[in-house]
Amino acid sequence: MLTDLSPLIAATAQWLTRAYPASGGALAAALCEAQARQAVTVAACLRYPTPTDAALVTLAGPGGSGRLDWITGADTAAGAEPEDTAWRSWVDEVVAS
């Protein structure tokens, strides 16, 4: 089931690490990324407990990071290339919360 949710987990963990970066060196950044991925994996499994739930979110999409960016005041870089921001469409607000 985790393979079905892997785009959602990766995008939400990336959003968390960008929105709340680690202070410190490379070790702190790596630890922050690992902890964010673990937390998002657990939250995604709790939010989408069955394979049917995972398939439906894969089909419909999780909603994106627009509201989260607005709440946190994150700048989405208006002039950025679509490839640089395409992952944001896979961020799940409930999982990130």
Side-chain angles (χ1 to χ4, degrees):
M1 182 171 97
L2 290 178
T3 57
D4 294 337
L5 295 174
S6 61
L8 182 139
I9 291 169
T12 306
Q14 183 174 4
W15 185 87
L16 283 171
T17 56
R18 287 184 180 204
Y20 304 103
S23 59
L27 181 60
L31 182 60
C32 176
E33 185 177 339
Q35 288 177 335
R37 184 170 291 270
Q38 289 173 349
V40 168
T41 301
V42 170
C45 288
L46 290 173
R47 172 115 167 110
Y48 307 108
T50 66
T52 303
D53 293 330
L56 286 174
V57 77
T58 302
L59 180 67
S65 68
R67 187 165 184 271
L68 285 172
D69 290 336
W70 176 72
I71 290 170
T72 60
D75 184 16
T76 59
E81 294 293 322
E83 298 87 31
D84 295 336
T85 58
W87 61 270
R88 291 181 176 271
S89 65
W90 278 97
V91 175
D92 190 331
E93 178 181 352
V94 175
V95 172
S97 298

